[in-house]
Amino acid sequence: MIKHKDITEPDPFGFQVRIVRRGKENSRYFSHKLWGSKFKSIKAAIAWRDQMLIG
C-alpha cells in the first residue's frame, strides 16, 4: 500500500485524514462505499487534505 502523509486506513472500509494546524485538529473519514471505490475515496482524501493545507 502506498503511504500518504496524514492519511491512514483505520479499517478496511475507508480512509481517515487528520491534520493539526494552529493547534486545532481537523479530521474527516472517507468511506469506500460512499465514494464508490477505494481508489475514489483515496483521491477524495488527498484532495481534502491538500485543500485544508492550503487554507
Side-chain angles (χ1 to χ4, degrees):
M1 181 172 158
I2 297 172
K3 298 284 184 180
H4 295 281
K5 185 173 173 20
D6 302 319
I7 300 175
T8 60
E9 191 172 13
D11 57 44
F13 308 110
F15 293 102
Q16 178 77 36
V17 183
R18 288 188 177 159
I19 299 169
V20 177
R21 291 189 50 141
R22 300 180 194 117
K24 181 181 174 192
E25 180 178 323
N26 294 292
S27 67
R28 186 166 172 192
Y29 184 79
F30 294 85
S31 166
H32 302 328
K33 185 175 181 179
L34 179 66
W35 286 92
S37 71
K38 190 172 184 175
F39 178 74
K40 289 179 182 178
S41 64
I42 190 66
K43 282 186 68 175
I46 292 168
W48 184 82
R49 178 204 61 197
D50 292 348
Q51 188 63 37
M52 293 300 291
L53 291 174
I54 290 171

